[in-house]
Amino acid sequence: DADVTQTPRNRITKTGKRIMLECSQTKGHDRMYWYRQDPGLGLRLIYYSFDVKDINKGEISDGYSVSRQAQAKFSLSLESAIPNQTALYFCATSDPGTGNSYNEQFFGPGTRLTVL
Amino acid sequence: GENVEQHPSTLSVQEGDSAVIKCTYSDSASNYFPWYKQELGKGPQLIIDIRSNVGEKKDQRIAVTLNKTAKHFSLHITETQPEDSAVYFCAASQTGYSTLTFGKGTMLLVSP
């Protein structure tokens, strides 16, 4: 089974709709991240959480919100979706001191979101 | 904040050739530089990283070099194979425990 899962994998929605993307992990990591990937723009950090009580804005947080429901769950919400939020969204986890690298991030398979 | 520039954006090579991807960073306090590989339809995966107290690191056919004075680091892939075809991202952070700033990615295509 995958260590980092994202649901849904694909979503098409309309402008103005509220959308929630969910991320779950079985790695036991404290740190979780949400990224957005656009062609030619790489990976940009939206929000991150270093533990259940910690939420931080990333580079491009406007128009997004998050909820850390438990160590294993981190959700990303678009309160009122707009077309320029059409992108590939990735969740990632990390735990300093584990793995082969002291800050290796483990990515989920991604959610492709289309806002019409 | 940190800014990471990555070049080229696309790179086409013949199987067996070498490939080099270069990145520059702006924050002199950055000291951790990982490289991620993203295969089609998947999330990125760490392939190699380097810390600022090391100038070069090698793992089989891939190597990374770091020049802290010039604030640039590079990924070298030798004897490329079709399965090396993917998007590669460089990244930088101040410590191994803070967030990563990614470059915009390089699409590598290895032709048989």
Side-chain angles (χ1 to χ4, degrees):
Chain A
D1 289 341
D3 295 320
V4 183
T5 57
Q6 294 184 231
T7 55
R9 294 293 312 278
N10 290 281
R11 181 72 184 269
I12 300 174
T13 191
K14 295 181 179 180
T15 298
K17 294 292 187 180
R18 184 179 187 274
I19 296 296
M20 179 180 286
L21 308 183
E22 298 184 336
C23 177
S24 295
Q25 52 112 348
T26 59
K27 301 187 76 67
H29 289 172
D30 286 327
R31 298 186 174 194
M32 299 188 73
Y33 311 80
W34 275 105
Y35 290 92
R36 168 178 172 160
Q37 183 177 15
D38 299 275
L41 294 179
L43 293 161
R44 293 182 292 168
L45 184 62
I46 305 172
Y47 271 95
Y48 62 101
S49 170
F50 281 177
D51 63 45
V52 175
K53 298 180 180 179
D54 176 72
I55 299 289
N56 303 281
K57 293 182 177 180
E59 178 187 354
I60 53 164
S61 60
D62 287 348
Y64 302 94
S65 63
V66 291
S67 174
R68 184 78 184 268
Q69 300 96 324
Q71 184 201 41
K73 296 184 181 297
F74 193 34
S75 300
L76 176 72
S77 294
L78 289 68
E79 297 301 326
S80 180
I82 56 177
N84 76 2
Q85 292 177 313
T86 293
L88 187 55
Y89 290 84
F90 286 102
C91 174
T93 73
S94 73
D95 191 1
T98 65
N100 295 323
S101 169
Y102 68 166
N103 196 23
E104 179 176 1
Q105 293 192 14
F106 297 85
F107 284 79
T111 294
R112 185 167 297 280
L113 177 65
T114 302
V115 183
L116 301 176
Chain B
E2 175 66 276
N3 182 51
V4 178
E5 299 284 342
Q6 183 172 348
H7 299 280
S9 56
T10 59
L11 179 59
S12 294
V13 300
Q14 293 291 320
E15 182 176 0
D17 289 348
S18 294
V20 180
I21 303 170
K22 299 181 179 181
C23 290
T24 61
Y25 61 98
S26 61
D27 189 345
S28 58
S30 290
N31 58 8
Y32 175 64
F33 308 94
W35 286 88
Y36 284 77
K37 176 183 181 182
Q38 183 182 25
E39 297 178 344
L40 192 62
K42 297 183 178 180
Q45 184 174 8
L46 179 72
I47 55 171
I48 195 168
D49 59 13
I50 192 167
R51 305 180 196 180
S52 63
N53 59 345
V54 175
E56 182 174 358
K57 184 177 179 180
K58 189 174 183 179
D59 183 4
Q60 299 182 335
R61 295 187 298 107
I62 61 173
V64 58
T65 59
L66 171 65
N67 183 328
K68 284 222 73 179
T69 301
K71 291 192 283 188
H72 67 71
F73 57 111
S74 301
L75 178 71
H76 304 254
I77 306 174
T78 59
E79 301 174 14
T80 55
Q81 301 169 4
E83 52 265 39
D84 294 328
S85 296
V87 178
Y88 292 81
F89 292 98
C90 62
S93 72
Q94 282 196 14
T95 72
Y97 302 90
S98 61
T99 59
L100 295 172
T101 300
F102 285 88
K104 294 182 178 179
T106 296
M107 180 176 291
L108 174 65
L109 177 62
V110 182
S111 303

Short mmCIF file of all heavy atoms in Angstrom, two decimals, chain A residues 9 31 33 35 37-38 40-45 48 50 59 88 90 96-97 100-110, chain B residues 31-32 34 36 38 41-47 49 51 57 87 89 93-105:
data_model
loop_
_atom_site.label_atom_id
_atom_site.label_comp_id
_atom_site.label_asym_id
_atom_site.label_seq_id
_atom_site.Cartn_x
_atom_site.Cartn_y
_atom_site.Cartn_z
N ARG A 9 -8.06 11.61 -7.03
CA ARG A 9 -6.92 11.70 -7.94
C ARG A 9 -7.18 12.67 -9.08
O ARG A 9 -6.26 13.29 -9.59
CB ARG A 9 -6.59 10.32 -8.51
CG ARG A 9 -6.09 9.31 -7.48
CD ARG A 9 -4.72 9.71 -6.90
NE ARG A 9 -3.77 10.08 -7.93
CZ ARG A 9 -3.06 9.21 -8.62
NH1 ARG A 9 -3.18 7.92 -8.38
NH2 ARG A 9 -2.21 9.63 -9.55
N ARG A 31 5.64 16.03 9.85
CA ARG A 31 5.60 17.18 8.93
C ARG A 31 4.83 16.82 7.66
O ARG A 31 5.08 15.78 7.05
CB ARG A 31 7.01 17.63 8.59
CG ARG A 31 7.77 18.07 9.82
CD ARG A 31 9.12 18.64 9.48
NE ARG A 31 9.75 19.19 10.69
CZ ARG A 31 10.79 19.97 10.70
NH1 ARG A 31 11.35 20.33 9.56
NH2 ARG A 31 11.30 20.42 11.83
N TYR A 33 3.01 18.70 3.95
CA TYR A 33 3.10 19.85 3.04
C TYR A 33 2.07 19.73 1.92
O TYR A 33 1.73 18.62 1.51
CB TYR A 33 4.49 19.91 2.39
CG TYR A 33 5.67 19.78 3.32
CD1 TYR A 33 6.08 18.53 3.78
CD2 TYR A 33 6.38 20.90 3.74
CE1 TYR A 33 7.17 18.39 4.63
CE2 TYR A 33 7.48 20.77 4.59
CZ TYR A 33 7.86 19.52 5.02
OH TYR A 33 8.95 19.39 5.86
N TYR A 35 1.76 21.22 -2.04
CA TYR A 35 2.39 21.92 -3.14
C TYR A 35 1.43 22.00 -4.32
O TYR A 35 0.56 21.15 -4.51
CB TYR A 35 3.64 21.17 -3.63
CG TYR A 35 4.81 21.18 -2.68
CD1 TYR A 35 4.98 20.15 -1.77
CD2 TYR A 35 5.75 22.19 -2.73
CE1 TYR A 35 6.07 20.13 -0.90
CE2 TYR A 35 6.85 22.18 -1.88
CZ TYR A 35 7.00 21.14 -0.98
OH TYR A 35 8.08 21.12 -0.14
N GLN A 37 1.75 22.24 -8.60
CA GLN A 37 2.65 22.15 -9.75
C GLN A 37 1.95 22.64 -11.00
O GLN A 37 0.87 22.16 -11.36
CB GLN A 37 3.13 20.70 -9.97
CG GLN A 37 4.14 20.58 -11.10
CD GLN A 37 4.66 19.18 -11.27
OE1 GLN A 37 4.11 18.21 -10.75
NE2 GLN A 37 5.75 19.05 -12.01
N ASP A 38 2.55 23.62 -11.65
CA ASP A 38 2.07 24.15 -12.93
C ASP A 38 3.18 23.99 -13.95
O ASP A 38 4.36 24.12 -13.61
CB ASP A 38 1.71 25.63 -12.81
CG ASP A 38 0.60 25.89 -11.81
OD1 ASP A 38 -0.57 25.76 -12.22
OD2 ASP A 38 0.89 26.19 -10.64
N GLY A 40 6.07 24.55 -16.24
CA GLY A 40 7.03 25.64 -16.33
C GLY A 40 7.25 26.42 -15.05
O GLY A 40 8.09 27.31 -15.02
N LEU A 41 6.49 26.10 -14.02
CA LEU A 41 6.62 26.85 -12.76
C LEU A 41 7.13 25.99 -11.62
O LEU A 41 7.32 26.48 -10.50
CB LEU A 41 5.29 27.48 -12.37
CG LEU A 41 4.76 28.56 -13.31
CD1 LEU A 41 3.42 29.09 -12.81
CD2 LEU A 41 5.77 29.71 -13.44
N GLY A 42 7.31 24.72 -11.84
CA GLY A 42 7.85 23.86 -10.80
C GLY A 42 6.87 23.59 -9.68
O GLY A 42 5.65 23.66 -9.86
N LEU A 43 7.40 23.31 -8.51
CA LEU A 43 6.62 23.02 -7.32
C LEU A 43 6.62 24.23 -6.41
O LEU A 43 7.69 24.71 -6.01
CB LEU A 43 7.22 21.82 -6.58
CG LEU A 43 7.15 20.48 -7.30
CD1 LEU A 43 8.16 19.52 -6.70
CD2 LEU A 43 5.74 19.91 -7.18
N ARG A 44 5.45 24.71 -6.06
CA ARG A 44 5.35 25.87 -5.18
C ARG A 44 4.58 25.48 -3.92
O ARG A 44 3.53 24.84 -4.00
CB ARG A 44 4.67 27.02 -5.90
CG ARG A 44 5.51 27.60 -7.05
CD ARG A 44 4.82 28.78 -7.70
NE ARG A 44 3.63 28.39 -8.42
CZ ARG A 44 2.72 29.23 -8.88
NH1 ARG A 44 2.87 30.54 -8.67
NH2 ARG A 44 1.67 28.78 -9.54
N LEU A 45 5.11 25.89 -2.77
CA LEU A 45 4.57 25.51 -1.48
C LEU A 45 3.34 26.35 -1.14
O LEU A 45 3.40 27.58 -1.17
CB LEU A 45 5.64 25.67 -0.40
CG LEU A 45 5.30 25.22 1.00
CD1 LEU A 45 5.00 23.72 1.05
CD2 LEU A 45 6.45 25.57 1.95
N TYR A 48 2.17 24.40 5.01
CA TYR A 48 2.87 23.29 5.64
C TYR A 48 2.56 23.24 7.13
O TYR A 48 2.18 24.25 7.72
CB TYR A 48 4.37 23.34 5.37
CG TYR A 48 5.09 24.54 5.92
CD1 TYR A 48 5.83 24.48 7.09
CD2 TYR A 48 5.09 25.75 5.21
CE1 TYR A 48 6.52 25.57 7.57
CE2 TYR A 48 5.76 26.86 5.68
CZ TYR A 48 6.48 26.76 6.85
OH TYR A 48 7.17 27.86 7.33
N PHE A 50 4.17 21.41 10.75
CA PHE A 50 5.26 20.65 11.36
C PHE A 50 4.77 19.74 12.49
O PHE A 50 5.52 18.89 12.95
CB PHE A 50 6.35 21.58 11.85
CG PHE A 50 7.27 22.08 10.77
CD1 PHE A 50 8.28 22.98 11.06
CD2 PHE A 50 7.14 21.66 9.46
CE1 PHE A 50 9.15 23.44 10.07
CE2 PHE A 50 7.98 22.10 8.45
CZ PHE A 50 9.00 23.01 8.76
N GLU A 59 4.47 29.87 0.05
CA GLU A 59 4.69 30.92 -0.96
C GLU A 59 3.40 31.44 -1.58
O GLU A 59 3.28 32.62 -1.89
CB GLU A 59 5.61 30.36 -2.04
CG GLU A 59 5.92 31.29 -3.19
CD GLU A 59 6.69 30.58 -4.30
OE1 GLU A 59 7.08 29.40 -4.12
OE2 GLU A 59 6.89 31.19 -5.37
N LEU A 88 -1.89 20.67 -10.79
CA LEU A 88 -1.63 19.38 -10.15
C LEU A 88 -1.19 19.66 -8.72
O LEU A 88 -0.27 20.47 -8.50
CB LEU A 88 -0.53 18.65 -10.93
CG LEU A 88 -0.19 17.21 -10.57
CD1 LEU A 88 -1.41 16.32 -10.63
CD2 LEU A 88 0.89 16.70 -11.51
N PHE A 90 0.14 18.32 -4.96
CA PHE A 90 0.84 17.24 -4.28
C PHE A 90 0.87 17.48 -2.78
O PHE A 90 1.11 18.59 -2.32
CB PHE A 90 2.28 17.13 -4.78
CG PHE A 90 2.41 16.54 -6.14
CD1 PHE A 90 2.62 17.34 -7.25
CD2 PHE A 90 2.31 15.16 -6.32
CE1 PHE A 90 2.75 16.79 -8.51
CE2 PHE A 90 2.42 14.60 -7.58
CZ PHE A 90 2.65 15.42 -8.68
N PRO A 96 12.53 14.72 10.00
CA PRO A 96 13.98 14.85 10.17
C PRO A 96 14.54 13.70 11.00
O PRO A 96 13.98 13.31 12.00
CB PRO A 96 14.14 16.17 10.90
CG PRO A 96 12.92 16.93 10.57
CD PRO A 96 11.82 15.92 10.43
N GLY A 97 15.63 13.15 10.51
CA GLY A 97 16.28 12.09 11.25
C GLY A 97 15.90 10.70 10.80
O GLY A 97 16.48 9.73 11.25
N ASN A 100 16.81 8.13 4.29
CA ASN A 100 18.19 8.24 3.85
C ASN A 100 18.72 9.66 3.93
O ASN A 100 19.91 9.89 3.86
CB ASN A 100 18.31 7.74 2.41
CG ASN A 100 18.00 6.26 2.30
OD1 ASN A 100 18.35 5.48 3.19
ND2 ASN A 100 17.33 5.86 1.25
N SER A 101 17.85 10.63 4.04
CA SER A 101 18.25 12.02 4.09
C SER A 101 17.58 12.67 5.27
O SER A 101 16.49 12.30 5.66
CB SER A 101 17.85 12.73 2.81
OG SER A 101 18.00 14.13 2.95
N TYR A 102 18.24 13.66 5.84
CA TYR A 102 17.68 14.21 7.06
C TYR A 102 16.51 15.17 6.82
O TYR A 102 15.95 15.68 7.75
CB TYR A 102 18.74 14.81 7.95
CG TYR A 102 19.46 16.07 7.47
CD1 TYR A 102 20.20 16.81 8.37
CD2 TYR A 102 19.42 16.51 6.17
CE1 TYR A 102 20.89 17.94 7.99
CE2 TYR A 102 20.10 17.65 5.77
CZ TYR A 102 20.84 18.36 6.69
OH TYR A 102 21.51 19.47 6.30
N ASN A 103 16.12 15.39 5.58
CA ASN A 103 14.87 16.10 5.33
C ASN A 103 14.23 15.61 4.03
O ASN A 103 13.66 16.39 3.30
CB ASN A 103 15.08 17.61 5.26
CG ASN A 103 13.76 18.35 5.38
OD1 ASN A 103 12.78 17.84 5.91
ND2 ASN A 103 13.73 19.57 4.87
N GLU A 104 14.32 14.33 3.75
CA GLU A 104 13.70 13.79 2.55
C GLU A 104 12.20 13.96 2.63
O GLU A 104 11.58 13.66 3.66
CB GLU A 104 14.03 12.31 2.39
CG GLU A 104 13.39 11.68 1.16
CD GLU A 104 13.81 10.24 0.97
OE1 GLU A 104 14.57 9.72 1.81
OE2 GLU A 104 13.37 9.63 -0.02
N GLN A 105 11.60 14.47 1.57
CA GLN A 105 10.16 14.59 1.50
C GLN A 105 9.61 13.47 0.63
O GLN A 105 10.15 13.16 -0.43
CB GLN A 105 9.76 15.96 0.95
CG GLN A 105 10.13 17.09 1.90
CD GLN A 105 9.52 18.43 1.55
OE1 GLN A 105 8.61 18.53 0.74
NE2 GLN A 105 10.01 19.49 2.17
N PHE A 106 8.52 12.87 1.11
CA PHE A 106 7.86 11.77 0.43
C PHE A 106 6.54 12.28 -0.14
O PHE A 106 5.68 12.73 0.61
CB PHE A 106 7.62 10.61 1.39
CG PHE A 106 8.89 10.02 1.94
CD1 PHE A 106 9.50 10.58 3.05
CD2 PHE A 106 9.49 8.92 1.34
CE1 PHE A 106 10.68 10.06 3.57
CE2 PHE A 106 10.66 8.39 1.84
CZ PHE A 106 11.26 8.96 2.96
N PHE A 107 6.41 12.20 -1.44
CA PHE A 107 5.27 12.79 -2.12
C PHE A 107 4.17 11.76 -2.40
O PHE A 107 4.45 10.59 -2.68
CB PHE A 107 5.70 13.42 -3.45
CG PHE A 107 6.42 14.73 -3.29
CD1 PHE A 107 7.75 14.76 -2.93
CD2 PHE A 107 5.76 15.93 -3.50
CE1 PHE A 107 8.43 15.97 -2.77
CE2 PHE A 107 6.41 17.14 -3.35
CZ PHE A 107 7.75 17.16 -2.99
N GLY A 108 2.93 12.23 -2.36
CA GLY A 108 1.81 11.43 -2.81
C GLY A 108 1.75 11.42 -4.32
O GLY A 108 2.56 12.06 -5.00
N PRO A 109 0.76 10.72 -4.90
CA PRO A 109 0.67 10.59 -6.35
C PRO A 109 0.07 11.80 -7.05
O PRO A 109 0.11 11.88 -8.28
CB PRO A 109 -0.25 9.38 -6.53
CG PRO A 109 -1.11 9.41 -5.31
CD PRO A 109 -0.24 9.90 -4.20
N GLY A 110 -0.47 12.75 -6.28
CA GLY A 110 -1.00 13.97 -6.87
C GLY A 110 -2.50 13.92 -7.14
O GLY A 110 -3.10 12.85 -7.30
N ASN B 31 22.09 25.53 2.87
CA ASN B 31 23.16 24.55 3.04
C ASN B 31 22.71 23.11 2.78
O ASN B 31 23.42 22.17 3.11
CB ASN B 31 23.77 24.66 4.45
CG ASN B 31 22.73 24.45 5.54
OD1 ASN B 31 21.60 24.08 5.26
ND2 ASN B 31 23.11 24.70 6.77
N TYR B 32 21.54 22.93 2.20
CA TYR B 32 21.05 21.59 1.88
C TYR B 32 20.44 21.64 0.49
O TYR B 32 19.57 22.48 0.21
CB TYR B 32 20.03 21.14 2.91
CG TYR B 32 19.37 19.82 2.59
CD1 TYR B 32 20.12 18.65 2.52
CD2 TYR B 32 18.02 19.75 2.33
CE1 TYR B 32 19.52 17.44 2.22
CE2 TYR B 32 17.41 18.55 2.02
CZ TYR B 32 18.17 17.39 1.97
OH TYR B 32 17.57 16.19 1.67
N PRO B 34 18.84 19.10 -2.35
CA PRO B 34 18.39 17.80 -2.85
C PRO B 34 17.98 17.88 -4.33
O PRO B 34 17.66 18.95 -4.84
CB PRO B 34 17.18 17.49 -1.98
CG PRO B 34 16.61 18.85 -1.68
CD PRO B 34 17.78 19.81 -1.63
N TYR B 36 15.23 15.88 -6.99
CA TYR B 36 14.10 14.98 -7.07
C TYR B 36 13.83 14.62 -8.53
O TYR B 36 14.01 15.44 -9.43
CB TYR B 36 12.84 15.64 -6.48
CG TYR B 36 12.82 15.67 -4.97
CD1 TYR B 36 13.59 16.59 -4.26
CD2 TYR B 36 12.06 14.76 -4.24
CE1 TYR B 36 13.59 16.60 -2.87
CE2 TYR B 36 12.04 14.77 -2.86
CZ TYR B 36 12.82 15.70 -2.18
OH TYR B 36 12.82 15.70 -0.81
N GLN B 38 10.81 13.14 -11.07
CA GLN B 38 9.38 12.91 -11.19
C GLN B 38 9.10 12.16 -12.48
O GLN B 38 9.24 12.72 -13.58
CB GLN B 38 8.60 14.23 -11.16
CG GLN B 38 7.09 14.03 -11.21
CD GLN B 38 6.34 15.36 -11.23
OE1 GLN B 38 6.86 16.39 -11.64
NE2 GLN B 38 5.10 15.32 -10.77
N GLY B 41 3.15 10.80 -14.27
CA GLY B 41 2.01 10.34 -13.49
C GLY B 41 2.30 10.05 -12.03
O GLY B 41 1.44 9.52 -11.32
N LYS B 42 3.50 10.41 -11.58
CA LYS B 42 3.87 10.13 -10.19
C LYS B 42 4.33 11.39 -9.47
O LYS B 42 4.58 12.42 -10.09
CB LYS B 42 4.99 9.08 -10.15
CG LYS B 42 4.60 7.74 -10.74
CD LYS B 42 5.73 6.75 -10.59
CE LYS B 42 5.34 5.38 -11.14
NZ LYS B 42 6.44 4.39 -11.00
N GLY B 43 4.45 11.28 -8.16
CA GLY B 43 5.01 12.36 -7.38
C GLY B 43 6.53 12.35 -7.44
O GLY B 43 7.14 11.32 -7.74
N PRO B 44 7.17 13.48 -7.16
CA PRO B 44 8.64 13.52 -7.15
C PRO B 44 9.22 12.59 -6.10
O PRO B 44 8.61 12.34 -5.05
CB PRO B 44 8.93 14.99 -6.82
CG PRO B 44 7.70 15.73 -7.20
CD PRO B 44 6.58 14.80 -6.93
N GLN B 45 10.44 12.11 -6.38
CA GLN B 45 11.13 11.21 -5.46
C GLN B 45 12.59 11.64 -5.35
O GLN B 45 13.24 11.89 -6.37
CB GLN B 45 11.03 9.76 -5.95
CG GLN B 45 11.62 8.74 -5.01
CD GLN B 45 11.37 7.32 -5.47
OE1 GLN B 45 10.87 7.07 -6.57
NE2 GLN B 45 11.69 6.36 -4.63
N LEU B 46 13.09 11.70 -4.13
CA LEU B 46 14.48 12.09 -3.90
C LEU B 46 15.43 11.08 -4.54
O LEU B 46 15.27 9.87 -4.36
CB LEU B 46 14.75 12.17 -2.41
CG LEU B 46 16.18 12.55 -2.02
CD1 LEU B 46 16.45 14.03 -2.30
CD2 LEU B 46 16.44 12.24 -0.54
N ILE B 47 16.42 11.59 -5.30
CA ILE B 47 17.41 10.68 -5.88
C ILE B 47 18.81 10.90 -5.30
O ILE B 47 19.61 9.96 -5.22
CB ILE B 47 17.46 10.79 -7.42
CG1 ILE B 47 17.71 12.24 -7.88
CG2 ILE B 47 16.18 10.22 -8.04
CD1 ILE B 47 17.97 12.37 -9.37
N ASP B 49 21.18 13.98 -2.65
CA ASP B 49 21.25 15.30 -2.03
C ASP B 49 22.69 15.58 -1.59
O ASP B 49 23.53 14.68 -1.56
CB ASP B 49 20.28 15.43 -0.86
CG ASP B 49 20.51 14.39 0.24
OD1 ASP B 49 21.57 13.72 0.24
OD2 ASP B 49 19.62 14.24 1.10
N ARG B 51 25.07 18.33 1.09
CA ARG B 51 25.09 19.36 2.12
C ARG B 51 26.30 20.26 1.89
O ARG B 51 27.25 19.88 1.22
CB ARG B 51 25.13 18.72 3.50
CG ARG B 51 24.02 17.74 3.74
CD ARG B 51 24.07 17.12 5.11
NE ARG B 51 23.24 15.93 5.18
CZ ARG B 51 23.10 15.19 6.27
NH1 ARG B 51 23.74 15.50 7.38
NH2 ARG B 51 22.31 14.13 6.25
N LYS B 57 29.17 14.54 -4.48
CA LYS B 57 28.62 13.29 -3.98
C LYS B 57 28.21 12.44 -5.16
O LYS B 57 27.62 12.97 -6.11
CB LYS B 57 27.44 13.55 -3.05
CG LYS B 57 26.84 12.32 -2.39
CD LYS B 57 25.72 12.75 -1.44
CE LYS B 57 25.07 11.57 -0.76
NZ LYS B 57 23.97 12.02 0.16
N VAL B 87 11.13 14.33 -15.28
CA VAL B 87 11.37 15.72 -14.91
C VAL B 87 12.21 15.72 -13.64
O VAL B 87 11.91 14.99 -12.69
CB VAL B 87 10.05 16.47 -14.67
CG1 VAL B 87 10.33 17.90 -14.23
CG2 VAL B 87 9.20 16.48 -15.94
N PHE B 89 13.96 18.02 -10.54
CA PHE B 89 13.87 19.27 -9.79
C PHE B 89 15.05 19.39 -8.85
O PHE B 89 15.36 18.43 -8.12
CB PHE B 89 12.59 19.32 -8.95
CG PHE B 89 11.32 19.41 -9.73
CD1 PHE B 89 10.56 18.26 -9.97
CD2 PHE B 89 10.87 20.62 -10.22
CE1 PHE B 89 9.38 18.33 -10.68
CE2 PHE B 89 9.68 20.70 -10.93
CZ PHE B 89 8.94 19.54 -11.17
N SER B 93 17.48 24.59 0.78
CA SER B 93 16.92 25.04 2.05
C SER B 93 18.06 25.45 2.97
O SER B 93 19.21 25.06 2.78
CB SER B 93 16.06 23.96 2.71
OG SER B 93 16.86 22.91 3.20
N GLN B 94 17.71 26.24 4.00
CA GLN B 94 18.74 26.74 4.91
C GLN B 94 19.30 25.64 5.79
O GLN B 94 20.46 25.62 6.10
CB GLN B 94 18.18 27.87 5.78
CG GLN B 94 18.09 29.18 5.07
CD GLN B 94 17.90 30.34 6.02
OE1 GLN B 94 18.10 30.20 7.23
NE2 GLN B 94 17.51 31.48 5.49
N THR B 95 18.43 24.76 6.21
CA THR B 95 18.87 23.64 7.02
C THR B 95 18.12 22.42 6.53
O THR B 95 17.21 22.53 5.72
CB THR B 95 18.58 23.81 8.51
OG1 THR B 95 17.17 23.68 8.71
CG2 THR B 95 19.05 25.17 8.99
N GLY B 96 18.47 21.26 7.03
CA GLY B 96 17.75 20.08 6.63
C GLY B 96 16.37 19.99 7.25
O GLY B 96 15.62 19.08 6.98
N TYR B 97 16.03 20.98 8.08
CA TYR B 97 14.79 20.88 8.83
C TYR B 97 13.78 21.95 8.45
O TYR B 97 12.70 22.01 9.00
CB TYR B 97 15.09 20.97 10.33
CG TYR B 97 16.03 19.89 10.78
CD1 TYR B 97 17.40 20.10 10.77
CD2 TYR B 97 15.55 18.65 11.18
CE1 TYR B 97 18.27 19.08 11.16
CE2 TYR B 97 16.40 17.64 11.57
CZ TYR B 97 17.76 17.87 11.57
OH TYR B 97 18.60 16.87 11.96
N SER B 98 14.10 22.81 7.49
CA SER B 98 13.17 23.85 7.09
C SER B 98 12.53 23.46 5.76
O SER B 98 12.72 22.37 5.25
CB SER B 98 13.90 25.19 6.97
OG SER B 98 14.90 25.12 6.00
N THR B 99 11.74 24.36 5.19
CA THR B 99 11.06 24.04 3.94
C THR B 99 12.03 24.13 2.76
O THR B 99 13.08 24.76 2.84
CB THR B 99 9.88 24.99 3.71
OG1 THR B 99 10.37 26.33 3.67
CG2 THR B 99 8.87 24.86 4.84
N LEU B 100 11.64 23.50 1.67
CA LEU B 100 12.43 23.50 0.44
C LEU B 100 11.89 24.52 -0.55
O LEU B 100 10.68 24.69 -0.66
CB LEU B 100 12.39 22.12 -0.21
CG LEU B 100 13.02 20.95 0.55
CD1 LEU B 100 12.71 19.64 -0.16
CD2 LEU B 100 14.52 21.14 0.68
N THR B 101 12.80 25.16 -1.28
CA THR B 101 12.44 25.99 -2.43
C THR B 101 12.91 25.24 -3.67
O THR B 101 14.10 24.93 -3.79
CB THR B 101 13.10 27.37 -2.36
OG1 THR B 101 12.66 28.04 -1.18
CG2 THR B 101 12.71 28.20 -3.58
N PHE B 102 11.98 24.95 -4.57
CA PHE B 102 12.29 24.15 -5.75
C PHE B 102 12.59 25.02 -6.96
O PHE B 102 12.04 26.13 -7.11
CB PHE B 102 11.11 23.24 -6.09
CG PHE B 102 10.96 22.06 -5.19
CD1 PHE B 102 10.23 22.15 -4.01
CD2 PHE B 102 11.54 20.84 -5.51
CE1 PHE B 102 10.09 21.06 -3.16
CE2 PHE B 102 11.40 19.74 -4.67
CZ PHE B 102 10.68 19.85 -3.50
N GLY B 103 13.44 24.51 -7.85
CA GLY B 103 13.59 25.08 -9.18
C GLY B 103 12.39 24.70 -10.03
O GLY B 103 11.52 23.93 -9.60
N LYS B 104 12.33 25.23 -11.25
CA LYS B 104 11.16 25.04 -12.10
C LYS B 104 11.17 23.72 -12.85
O LYS B 104 10.20 23.40 -13.54
CB LYS B 104 11.03 26.21 -13.07
CG LYS B 104 10.71 27.52 -12.36
CD LYS B 104 10.53 28.66 -13.33
CE LYS B 104 10.18 29.93 -12.54
NZ LYS B 104 10.00 31.10 -13.43
N GLY B 105 12.24 22.97 -12.74
CA GLY B 105 12.26 21.63 -13.33
C GLY B 105 12.93 21.56 -14.68
O GLY B 105 12.95 22.53 -15.45
#
